[in-house]
Amino acid sequence: MSVIMPIVIGLICVCLLSLIPEPHRRQVNAVLVGGAGAAYLSGGGLGYWEFVLPVVMTYVAYRGLDSWTWIGAGWLLHTAWDVLHHLQGNPILPFSALSSFGCAICDPVVALWCFAGGPSILRWLRARKPAAPQA
């Protein structure tokens, strides 16, 4: 369950984000990546190194305003930070020991969608739906 639920959460996140029309979808995702960079600041588990990720993610988020690839890279950077925190035993949610592990599973799901260009899931589902027979 500690692997399945983060994947499901990532898929739900992708579905909800894909409801935002372009070009706003990419811009909102860039802002989310920038915010994700500051997620661990209050924990301080990595000491002064905690200030590195927000700086890097701010740059990545800025570049992500024009590029889905940068947004995907940002989610993978956050995944690396999740792994570091999980291994150190300093989770993103102090009351949930596996929260950083879950985040490290969830973030790549979102990253893959971003690397695909952040497509609309509804449009993709409609395209896959077989056409109704004509009378």
Side-chain angles (χ1 to χ4, degrees):
M1 220 34 170
S2 60
V3 173
I4 302 293
M5 281 311 295
I7 292 172
V8 170
I9 291 168
L11 292 172
I12 290 170
C13 181
V14 163
C15 289
L16 291 174
L17 290 170
S18 75
L19 294 175
I20 301 170
E22 279 290 9
H24 304 295
R25 183 180 315 137
R26 188 181 61 245
Q27 295 166 344
V28 167
N29 276 276
V31 170
L32 290 173
V33 162
Y40 285 105
L41 274 179
S42 65
L46 299 177
Y48 289 110
W49 285 103
E50 292 291 1
F51 293 107
V52 172
L53 188 65
V55 171
V56 171
M57 292 289 270
T58 298
Y59 175 77
V60 169
Y62 175 73
R63 295 295 303 266
L65 289 170
D66 296 317
S67 168
W68 280 105
T69 302
W70 280 96
I71 297 169
W75 285 118
L76 292 182
L77 284 169
H78 194 264
T79 298
W81 219 247
D82 293 328
V83 170
L84 287 173
H85 276 268
H86 175 69
L87 293 175
Q88 188 187 28
N90 191 6
I92 191 167
L93 300 173
F95 54 86
S96 178
L98 293 177
S99 59
S100 289
F101 174 78
C103 200
I105 301 295
C106 179
D107 289 352
V109 173
V110 179
L112 287 172
W113 174 69
C114 292
F115 287 134
S120 168
I121 300 301
L122 288 177
R123 184 176 297 144
W124 180 76
L125 289 173
R126 285 184 195 131
R128 293 188 47 91
K129 184 177 177 183
Q134 303 218 352

